[in-house]
Amino acid sequence: MDSFWIIRLVVLITTSQCLALIQSPPQIIKQPPTDELLFQVAQQQNENDKPFIIECEAEGEPAPKYRWIKNGKHFNWQAYDNRISQQPGRGTLVITSPRDEDLGQYQCFAENEWGTATSNSVFVRKAELNSFKDEPPISVTAQEGDPFKLTCHPPDGWPKPNVYWLIQNNDGGIKSINNSRMTLDPEGNLWFSNVTRQDASDDFMYACAATSFFRNEYKLGNRVMLNVELTGSSAAQNRHPPVKQYVTRKNEVAFRGKKVEMYCIFGGTPLPQIVWSKDGRSIQPSDRITQGNYGKSLVIKHVNYNDSGAYTCEASNGVGGAQSYSINLQVMAAPYFTVEPEIINAAEDETVTFRCEAEGVPDPQIKWIHNGRPISEAPPNPRRKVTTNSITIERLSKKDTGNYGCNATNSHGYVYKDVYVNVLALPPEITEPPRSEQTVDGRTVTLLCRTFGAPKPQVKWIRNGKELTGGRYTTLDNGDLEIRDVNYSDGGDYTCYAENKFGHQEASGKLTVKEHTRITTEPEDYEVAAGMSATFRCNAVADNSLQLTVDWMKKGQLIDFEAEPRFIQSSDTSLTITKAIELDSGTYTCVARTELDEATASATLTVQDVPNPPELQYVTCSKREARINWKPMGDNRAPILRYIIQYNTSFTPDSWEVAVDSVPATDMSYTVGMSPWANYTFRVIAVNKIGQSQASQHSLMCSTPPDVPYKNPDNVEGKGTDPSNIVISWTPMPEIEHNAPGFSYRVYWRRNIDGTQWTSRDITDWQQSQFEVTGQPTFQEYRIKVVAINEMGESNVSPREVIGYSGEDVPTMAPQNFTVENVHDSTSALLSWMPVPPESVRGHFKGYKIQTWTERDGESAMREIQVKGESTRTLVTKFVPHSKNYARVLVYNGRYNGPPSDTLTFQTPEGVPGTVQYFEAVPMGSSAFYLIWKKPEQPNGILTGYRIYYQTVVGTKVGPLMEREPPVRDPKQTRAKLAGLEPNTKYRLHIRATTAAGEGEDYFLEQRTRGPADITPGVPRFTWTRLPSDNGYASVRVNWVPDIADGRPGSHFFVKYRQKGETMFQETSREMNEDYLIVRGLIPGEIYEFVVVSVDGERQTESEPEEVETYTVEGPIIQPKENVATAGWFIGMMLAIAFLLLVLVIVCIIKRNRGGKYAVHEREAAHGRSDYPDEPGFHEYSQPLDNKSHGRGSTASDQKAAPESDTDSMAEYGDGDTGKFTEDGSFIGQYGPGKRRPEDQPTPAGVGAAATYV
């Protein structure tokens, strides 16, 4: 309540300019400290004075006046000339030239007509630092290895100077001492825990120094030269047990809030180690409790009552027994307030109470002050009740205005606070009216309304003419309105109404309620292996009128994404931590905030890594086993599952072998066996779900004595490599299994016949793995064993006997009566034969092999089918369909094939084809595909055509299978158009070749049609074929070649044509399903211009025009590739013929004129030719040269089309370039490697040619 009145009073004074200033008693705002104030006095005439101030400043109305007392008496500072002055408008004293007589106890009082405020009482004291006694350096002697002390006699001073030791070189240079063997005690003495020969003063001296931090000066004195007497003993022999040198007194006092340092300085060689404990428990260092002087002191900062207790230091150095010392620490405290009195502004007839409570050790005594004097000396007031901790004044009147002070004092100091009560009579004033507030639903909002008046105004809140009380509405003591669980209906205007007995005032504000921020997708806890990425997702929504931001915090701190490049916040507000490390583990918080509210959601990231390497503690070795002991060093957030114990030996020092790989995670020791005659070292690896840790450090070496081998070689077997030997082999035993020097193998063998003797051979090379026995009969059974031996004897286990065989030879007989019992289908036939005698196999009987090939492929392409076991009848399923197949059978053993049987020949029926070799679908517009394929590599019969199917694909589901109609019935056709599809739809397209046996294997692909947007097609090309006449009219087949290379083929096409010389084109109907159409009704013997138009929606592109000449012919004519009539060589040849004819005519005319006779006709007649007509002229040039020519030459041949070859090549129809078509008739070849693009090749329109002159 008191601070409320102070704020209101200040606001009223500074903002209500129309009102008179409100009067109040003084309030101290600056004052001296409670303990002491230091000053310096100039020591020399040329030294500048060092001014200081004693602060005192107060506020009040009217402005207060100041007075001082010194040592309990009035202090008339004006009597000190200009040396002491008082700051204008303040009570602060300024001493510009301090003197010794300024020492004393000072206190300030601020007075006006309403009261007297009292400041702290401060002792002003002179700071000084005297000098050391002027003494010459002294020399002292110490024994090497002994503890030692250098004594310092510091000078007097205030505050007490800091004392320390320095090393002063002979040239005057100094340096500090920082050595674990040398320790300074609080009295300034330097203690050597043990003296070494390096401590001797060869070219330096030890010097004691004293420093005054306040005066910023130091003094040097007490210089000592240290001589060290050497013992002549080695460092190992010169050992001394711990001895006490300096310790803090048994009962030490510390003050609450201050620092205390307790000392335990022990000497000895080696240097003793100090361990501190409190009340029998070891002390763990912290930010507040630390060790100083290399553990020889214990420092406690900010002492509290809990630090009381018995502190023990224990010193040990491994020589003699440990030494200990205990210190009983008691915590004292200067007084401090637990409840402070506060300034009170109140109205008449009210009741006020000042409270004051304090603590300290010992307990403080509380005294009350009224207007600068003890409360006992104040004028009597029956309405005032005074207790130790409070003053209560009832039924206030204006004359009760005044200052009150609380002083708490004990033997260690005092604490004082001066306050006042100001009795006022004022009408209500709204000093902070309600503002326009915004909040979100579901929250608690506070509408501001701060008032001032005396008596304190009563505040009401009104909305829509009704007072707001109870329920979700609370009017706070300071006048504010609190609304809990705000909803949208709470939005609107609110009025604050303040009233007391002197009047009333009101003010209004507006509340706007918006939607609160919500996190819709919260991050989830995440476990990730180190090095991997972790992603937290967080989505939020907020009111549309507010700007929403999403931030991420790690362990309560905002993530700096620039400083942490591994942390990435994506555009969807998710947080990704890349290459996670163990330190990234922790809590991550998503903060979605607007200017009005925020929402948070947290998740925990656990980064798991492989365990830390275990710590191998020790290994206990015995004759045949070792016990390994270790301890784990951390699992890195993934529990340890097991341990692996590895070893290596002097035989394989660079490799580690696994001794045991599944030691339970709860075990910290394990016993492993060891082989004789080996040197072992061990290490341990921890395993968790992330992986294996690094290995621990290896152990010390364990050595074992020699012994006989404990096993014999493994994998012993015997088999021949040629018909007259047997090779005995085994796996060499590693050196770790030799168990002693002189290791060798003893190989035994004998025929597996009763009564035969063992033959043996010793193998001294331990790395050898086989031995050959020569001169043995073919394929005989043997008994074999191999024994391990060393210098201690044979192995202590019996060797295992195994059965082996000498070498195999080629079988001598072929199977008889090889027969085809039945041909099942196009690839299968049932074969049978008679078995061969067992003795003819001459080896391990493995079975039979059937060898087969076809007439087309030849015996070099032979395939083998193995028939295991004794079977002599089998169904072979690998014959080639529609082929003449050959087959034979032979027996085989482990090394050789026997002679083959007679060869059989049989025909397999036609089968279904294999898959096409190639299949491609090029989108045409938005509703069609242009399909291109290559015929099957394995037709397995005579191809009859192709079946094309299609089905829609939506996600992972496919629609019903539909067939393109009509089927492709021309086996040479390798392209087709599939139309009538949906735009922007994914289809699965199937193609199957067919023979008389049915449909072949399926080949499918998936392709998507284009979207409905129109694309201008590329320039198309076309080829044409003249067809037989139709009722006296000519017909031409036009094949459309769309622009596939540029991906703009168009969806369909039509043809424009006109007679040469005409202006208007005729158009065919649009061909939607095929890539060709037939133009009918053309006039024979005319030249037409043809143009193909590619169409995609509303867009069209025309080809280059091309001339086509029509004839009444039978049979189709393929458009040639070259226009012979316009070729240069043709024109030259025609000119040459014309020239020759001209010469011939001239010669004939000349001969006739001479009376000669052209003898050609006679010669022909003499030879029986009589088919010339009766017309005159050169008859031999007026008839066709042969049956191929009918009339004049043309741009397209009239000859009958030759039968198409199996290769479907265009070369048959002209001598032009056929490179634009592949063998399967598709157009894809023109874009293959080594081909020019279509625009680089001559277009069909420019290469019309005549095939007549070939």
Side-chain angles (χ1 to χ4, degrees):
M1 183 181 81
D2 304 326
S3 60
F4 164 81
W5 283 99
I6 295 172
I7 295 171
R8 295 298 176 273
L9 179 60
V10 172
V11 171
L12 186 62
I13 291 173
T14 57
T15 62
S16 303
Q17 298 181 1
C18 63
L19 299 177
L21 293 175
I22 298 176
Q23 297 187 346
S24 70
Q27 177 192 358
I28 299 289
I29 58 174
K30 288 185 179 179
Q31 59 183 328
T34 59
D35 46 6
E36 69 177 9
L37 187 64
L38 299 176
F39 67 90
Q40 297 185 54
V41 176
Q43 302 292 326
Q44 302 174 2
Q45 291 184 353
N46 60 351
E47 185 179 352
N48 293 329
D49 289 324
K50 296 179 174 58
F52 74 99
I53 63 174
I54 309 175
E55 282 194 315
C56 182
E57 185 177 349
E59 293 178 340
E61 186 59 39
K65 297 179 180 180
Y66 300 91
R67 62 183 174 87
W68 288 84
I69 63 172
K70 177 181 179 182
N71 297 329
K73 297 179 181 180
H74 175 71
F75 177 59
N76 185 14
W77 54 268
Q78 296 91 341
Y80 288 80
D81 300 326
N82 295 328
R83 195 171 65 82
I84 301 179
S85 62
Q86 183 173 292
Q87 292 179 345
R90 302 176 183 177
T92 300
L93 294 180
V94 180
I95 297 90
T96 56
S97 182
R99 300 287 183 267
D100 289 346
E101 62 264 27
D102 294 332
L103 182 145
Q105 194 82 28
Y106 291 78
Q107 191 171 20
C108 171
F109 298 90
E111 301 173 329
N112 69 8
E113 62 182 272
W114 301 110
T116 300
T118 307
S119 76
N120 290 331
S121 177
V122 63
F123 185 66
V124 178
R125 186 167 186 171
K126 184 178 75 170
E128 54 188 342
L129 176 63
N130 297 326
S131 299
F132 284 90
K133 292 181 181 180
D134 190 9
E135 297 177 345
I138 63 174
S139 178
V140 296
T141 301
Q143 188 80 15
E144 182 185 14
D146 286 352
F148 194 72
K149 171 187 175 183
L150 292 181
T151 303
C152 180
H153 301 286
D156 294 330
W158 189 265
K160 183 180 178 181
N162 291 324
V163 181
Y164 54 95
W165 284 82
L166 299 169
I167 291 178
Q168 185 176 28
N169 297 326
N170 291 343
D171 58 4
I174 59 175
K175 63 180 179 179
S176 61
I177 295 175
N178 184 13
N179 192 307
S180 61
R181 294 181 299 103
M182 302 179 191
T183 309
L184 183 72
D185 69 23
E187 298 172 6
N189 302 311
L190 183 64
W191 297 89
F192 291 79
S193 296
N194 54 72
V195 176
T196 67
R197 60 190 67 188
Q198 286 79 19
D199 297 331
S201 301
D202 296 332
D203 55 357
F204 64 89
M205 289 185 292
Y206 294 91
C208 180
T211 300
S212 172
F213 291 112
F214 182 81
R215 293 181 57 85
N216 196 24
E217 66 176 333
Y218 78 95
K219 302 291 178 68
L220 197 63
N222 289 111
R223 289 171 294 171
V224 179
M225 296 185 64
L226 178 63
N227 299 314
V228 179
E229 291 186 355
L230 305 182
T231 61
S233 303
S234 66
Q237 295 172 332
N238 194 6
R239 296 162 65 86
H240 300 275
V243 57
K244 183 167 65 177
Q245 293 181 304
Y246 177 88
V247 292
T248 300
R249 59 183 180 175
K250 281 282 187 182
N251 295 304
E252 178 68 354
V253 174
F255 289 94
R256 173 185 173 273
K258 305 294 183 180
K259 183 181 84 169
V260 66
E261 187 168 9
M262 294 173 283
Y263 286 82
C264 267
I265 303 175
F266 280 78
T269 306
L271 179 68
Q273 300 296 311
I274 310 296
V275 178
W276 288 88
S277 61
K278 177 190 176 186
D279 298 331
R281 296 182 179 179
S282 177
I283 297 175
Q284 299 298 323
S286 65
D287 292 339
R288 200 174 65 86
I289 302 177
T290 59
Q291 293 184 10
N293 295 297
Y294 298 95
K296 298 171 191 174
S297 66
L298 184 68
V299 181
I300 305 176
K301 303 173 185 175
H302 310 296
V303 171
N304 57 50
Y305 294 127
N306 293 330
D307 294 325
S308 298
Y311 290 81
T312 302
C313 60
E314 183 178 274
S316 60
N317 66 351
V319 182
Q323 301 291 320
S324 64
Y325 179 79
S326 294
I327 302 167
N328 184 37
L329 182 66
Q330 182 181 6
V331 177
M332 309 294 280
Y336 58 94
F337 285 124
T338 56
V339 177
E340 295 187 33
E342 302 292 343
I343 291 174
I344 301 175
N345 288 280
E348 291 182 337
D349 294 329
E350 292 183 344
T351 296
V352 298
T353 298
F354 294 105
R355 297 190 180 279
C356 181
E357 297 179 12
E359 290 185 1
V361 180
D363 291 335
Q365 181 181 4
I366 294 179
K367 295 181 180 180
W368 288 96
I369 307 297
H370 176 57
N371 288 333
R373 303 185 65 81
I375 191 71
S376 59
E377 299 179 10
N381 185 348
R383 292 175 289 104
R384 181 173 61 209
K385 297 179 181 178
V386 180
T387 66
T388 302
N389 297 113
S390 68
I391 293 179
T392 301
I393 307 173
E394 300 174 342
R395 302 186 307 281
L396 283 173
S397 66
K398 185 63 178 176
K399 67 179 182 179
D400 292 324
T401 299
N403 289 80
Y404 289 85
C406 178
N407 183 307
T409 305
N410 69 6
S411 57
H412 302 300
Y414 76 94
V415 62
Y416 176 76
K417 185 173 183 182
D418 192 273
V419 294
Y420 64 75
V421 59
N422 193 14
V423 182
L424 302 171
L426 298 171
E429 174 79 16
I430 297 180
T431 58
E432 294 186 52
R435 299 187 292 262
S436 292
E437 299 281 355
Q438 290 185 337
T439 189
V440 295
D441 64 294
R443 298 192 70 189
T444 296
V445 66
T446 300
L447 301 182
L448 186 71
C449 184
R450 303 298 170 86
T451 63
F452 183 74
K456 180 181 178 182
Q458 296 294 318
V459 177
K460 299 178 181 179
W461 283 88
I462 297 172
R463 183 186 180 207
N464 297 331
K466 296 182 180 180
E467 182 180 354
L468 302 176
T469 58
R472 296 186 295 116
Y473 303 99
T474 302
T475 301
L476 305 179
D477 290 341
N478 59 8
D480 295 346
L481 175 65
E482 180 182 88
I483 308 174
R484 294 178 296 278
D485 194 19
V486 173
N487 55 52
Y488 297 110
S489 65
D490 291 327
D493 294 326
Y494 290 79
T495 300
C496 171
Y497 183 88
E499 182 181 26
N500 69 7
K501 66 182 180 179
F502 297 112
H504 68 269
Q505 191 174 22
E506 64 181 40
S508 297
K510 184 176 183 179
L511 177 64
T512 302
V513 181
K514 300 190 175 186
E515 182 184 0
H516 72 279
T517 303
R518 294 179 294 112
I519 292 180
T520 56
T521 302
E522 296 186 356
E524 298 180 353
D525 293 345
Y526 210 106
E527 278 190 4
V528 66
M532 305 300 289
S533 294
T535 299
F536 291 112
R537 305 199 178 278
C538 181
N539 296 322
V541 295
D543 193 278
N544 293 333
S545 63
L546 301 175
Q547 182 177 356
L548 174 66
T549 60
V550 176
D551 297 314
W552 286 91
M553 302 176 72
K554 175 186 177 184
K555 300 177 182 176
Q557 299 293 324
L558 276 176
I559 296 174
D560 186 347
F561 291 99
E562 291 186 0
E564 294 279 1
R566 294 186 300 105
F567 289 63
I568 301 169
Q569 184 170 1
S570 304
S571 58
D572 63 352
T573 70
S574 62
L575 173 66
T576 299
I577 299 112
T578 61
K579 299 178 181 178
I581 60 176
E582 195 271 338
L583 293 177
D584 293 334
S585 298
T587 300
Y588 290 79
T589 303
C590 169
V591 183
R593 57 165 60 92
T594 66
E595 60 183 279
L596 298 182
D597 71 330
E598 67 178 36
T600 62
S602 298
T604 300
L605 174 64
T606 303
V607 180
Q608 300 175 325
D609 206 346
V610 298
N612 295 326
E615 180 183 309
L616 188 63
Q617 295 183 305
Y618 60 89
V619 174
T620 304
C621 305
S622 59
K623 184 176 180 181
R624 290 291 180 265
E625 62 186 19
R627 187 163 189 83
I628 299 97
N629 294 266
W630 67 90
K631 70 175 182 179
M633 300 304 292
D635 60 12
N636 289 332
R637 293 183 170 83
I640 294 174
L641 303 176
R642 58 188 174 92
Y643 293 97
I644 299 172
I645 299 176
Q646 295 181 333
Y647 70 90
N648 74 357
T649 67
S650 52
F651 299 122
T652 56
D654 296 328
S655 65
W656 289 86
E657 305 294 336
V658 175
V660 57
D661 66 352
S662 58
V663 178
T666 55
D667 290 355
M668 302 303 158
S669 63
Y670 201 84
T671 300
V672 298
M674 296 186 292
S675 295
W677 192 57
N679 298 318
Y680 281 84
T681 54
F682 297 93
R683 68 183 189 184
V684 181
I685 295 172
V687 182
N688 63 11
K689 72 175 186 179
I690 305 300
Q692 296 183 3
S693 71
Q694 296 290 321
S696 68
Q697 291 187 344
H698 63 76
S699 68
L700 297 177
M701 186 179 294
C702 288
S703 299
T704 55
D707 200 353
V708 298
Y710 290 168
K711 60 171 293 186
N712 293 303
D714 295 324
N715 302 319
V716 177
E717 63 177 13
K719 58 184 178 180
T721 57
D722 65 49
S724 62
N725 76 351
I726 181 172
V727 176
I728 301 170
S729 61
W730 60 90
T731 299
M733 293 171 58
E735 289 177 290
I736 191 64
E737 297 176 352
H738 293 183
N739 292 2
F743 183 82
S744 62
Y745 305 104
R746 183 164 294 163
V747 182
Y748 292 88
W749 72 93
R750 69 179 176 87
R751 291 277 298 277
N752 192 13
I753 300 173
D754 292 341
T756 57
Q757 298 297 315
W758 288 98
T759 304
S760 67
R761 176 69 64 86
D762 286 347
I763 309 298
T764 58
D765 181 2
W766 69 269
Q767 294 179 311
Q768 186 170 328
S769 61
Q770 65 180 31
F771 173 69
E772 180 183 2
V773 182
T774 58
Q776 304 299 309
T778 299
F779 196 63
Q780 296 298 315
E781 190 174 285
Y782 287 79
R783 286 192 171 273
I784 302 165
K785 61 183 178 180
V786 181
V787 180
I789 304 172
N790 62 24
E791 66 179 18
M792 306 292 290
E794 290 190 357
S795 68
N796 57 7
V797 294
S798 299
R800 187 172 67 90
E801 293 184 13
V802 298
I803 300 297
Y805 292 86
S806 56
E808 298 174 290
D809 208 343
V810 178
T812 59
M813 291 186 63
Q816 301 298 313
N817 197 22
F818 185 42
T819 305
V820 178
E821 293 189 6
N822 182 26
V823 177
H824 277 214
D825 53 35
S826 61
T827 60
S828 303
L830 183 64
L831 308 178
S832 64
W833 59 92
M834 297 294 293
V836 298
E839 63 274 8
S840 70
V841 178
R842 299 209 293 178
H844 296 284
F845 175 77
K846 297 296 184 181
Y848 296 91
K849 293 181 181 179
I850 296 174
Q851 298 175 334
T852 177
W853 64 94
T854 64
E855 184 179 44
R856 180 176 65 251
D857 296 336
E859 190 172 348
S860 60
M862 178 177 62
R863 291 160 294 147
E864 285 190 344
I865 298 95
Q866 292 185 352
V867 182
K868 300 290 186 180
E870 303 287 344
S871 176
T872 58
R873 189 169 181 263
T874 187
L875 179 66
V876 179
T877 60
K878 294 185 178 181
F879 294 114
V880 179
H882 195 57
S883 301
K884 185 176 183 180
N885 287 270
Y886 296 85
R888 64 192 182 198
V889 66
L890 54 85
V891 70
Y892 70 103
N893 59 28
R895 289 179 60 84
Y896 301 103
N897 289 339
S901 68
D902 295 336
T903 300
L904 299 178
T905 303
F906 59 94
Q907 183 75 30
T908 51
E910 199 171 0
V912 298
T915 61
V916 296
Q917 299 181 59
Y918 171 85
F919 188 32
E920 182 181 7
V922 180
M924 301 182 71
S926 60
S927 61
F929 290 119
Y930 194 65
L931 307 180
I932 304 167
W933 65 89
K934 190 173 183 179
K935 68 179 183 180
E937 186 177 15
Q938 297 175 347
N940 296 337
I942 299 173
L943 291 179
T944 59
Y946 298 90
R947 290 291 185 95
I948 296 172
Y949 301 90
Y950 60 97
Q951 54 193 149
T952 58
V953 179
V954 180
T956 58
K957 297 182 179 179
V958 295
L961 195 66
M962 294 174 286
E963 184 177 5
R964 176 190 181 274
E965 293 292 345
V968 178
R969 294 189 173 89
D970 182 359
K972 294 185 175 63
Q973 182 174 336
T974 56
R975 59 189 181 275
K977 181 181 176 185
L978 177 61
L981 305 177
E982 294 294 328
N984 196 27
T985 302
K986 190 175 184 180
Y987 285 88
R988 179 173 290 182
L989 308 173
H990 306 257
I991 186 168
R992 303 169 189 169
T994 59
T995 63
E999 296 182 8
E1001 296 181 41
D1002 186 62
Y1003 188 118
F1004 75 87
L1005 58 83
E1006 291 183 357
Q1007 180 64 282
R1008 182 178 293 276
T1009 55
R1010 296 188 188 277
D1014 297 341
I1015 299 175
T1016 301
V1019 177
R1021 297 181 297 112
F1022 67 95
T1023 61
W1024 54 268
T1025 305
R1026 188 181 298 116
L1027 299 179
S1029 62
D1030 182 12
N1031 296 325
Y1033 290 96
S1035 300
V1036 174
R1037 171 173 168 153
V1038 178
N1039 284 78
W1040 173 40
V1041 184
D1043 182 11
I1044 297 175
D1046 288 338
R1048 298 180 293 124
S1051 61
H1052 56 280
F1053 81 106
F1054 65 91
V1055 175
K1056 295 167 60 175
Y1057 61 96
R1058 67 184 177 186
Q1059 283 185 269
K1060 189 171 183 179
E1062 293 184 357
T1063 58
M1064 299 296 292
F1065 277 100
Q1066 298 183 60
E1067 294 184 359
T1068 66
S1069 60
R1070 302 196 175 200
E1071 176 55 53
M1072 307 296 292
N1073 297 317
E1074 299 291 349
D1075 62 348
Y1076 71 92
L1077 58 75
I1078 297 174
V1079 181
R1080 305 180 187 276
L1082 302 178
I1083 300 174
E1086 296 294 334
I1087 297 176
Y1088 284 82
E1089 289 183 348
F1090 275 66
V1091 174
V1092 166
V1093 183
S1094 292
V1095 183
D1096 191 349
E1098 299 298 324
R1099 301 176 186 269
Q1100 300 180 357
T1101 302
E1102 296 184 356
S1103 70
E1104 294 293 331
E1106 188 169 336
E1107 293 183 358
V1108 177
E1109 188 170 358
T1110 59
Y1111 291 94
T1112 55
V1113 295
E1114 298 298 327
I1117 297 178
I1118 303 299
Q1119 174 198 9
K1121 292 294 181 181
E1122 184 178 13
N1123 191 344
V1124 177
T1126 60
W1129 65 269
F1130 177 77
I1131 295 172
M1133 185 181 71
M1134 291 297 99
L1135 291 175
I1137 292 174
F1139 178 76
L1140 292 175
L1141 287 174
L1142 180 60
V1143 172
L1144 182 59
V1145 170
I1146 293 172
V1147 170
C1148 290
I1149 293 173
I1150 293 172
K1151 190 170 183 181
R1152 282 181 178 273
N1153 290 339
R1154 290 181 177 179
K1157 191 173 183 179
Y1158 189 63
V1160 175
H1161 181 268
E1162 288 82 0
R1163 291 195 189 99
E1164 295 288 343
H1167 286 82
R1169 181 169 181 178
S1170 58
D1171 57 348
Y1172 296 107
D1174 295 333
E1175 292 87 12
F1178 300 102
H1179 306 295
E1180 54 267 55
Y1181 299 109
S1182 63
Q1183 296 296 322
L1185 296 176
D1186 54 32
N1187 294 334
K1188 296 179 182 178
S1189 206
H1190 302 277
R1192 60 193 179 94
S1194 69
T1195 59
S1197 174
D1198 290 338
Q1199 67 191 48
K1200 298 281 188 178
E1204 289 186 314
S1205 70
D1206 289 339
T1207 61
D1208 194 25
S1209 173
M1210 297 296 292
E1212 304 168 6
Y1213 303 112
D1215 55 0
D1217 181 16
T1218 63
K1220 297 177 183 177
F1221 297 85
T1222 61
E1223 286 297 325
D1224 60 357
S1226 72
F1227 300 104
I1228 60 171
Q1230 59 186 316
Y1231 309 121
K1235 302 292 185 179
R1236 294 179 295 170
R1237 294 179 61 83
E1239 58 267 31
D1240 298 331
Q1241 298 180 8
T1243 63
V1247 294
T1252 315
Y1253 300 102
V1254 297

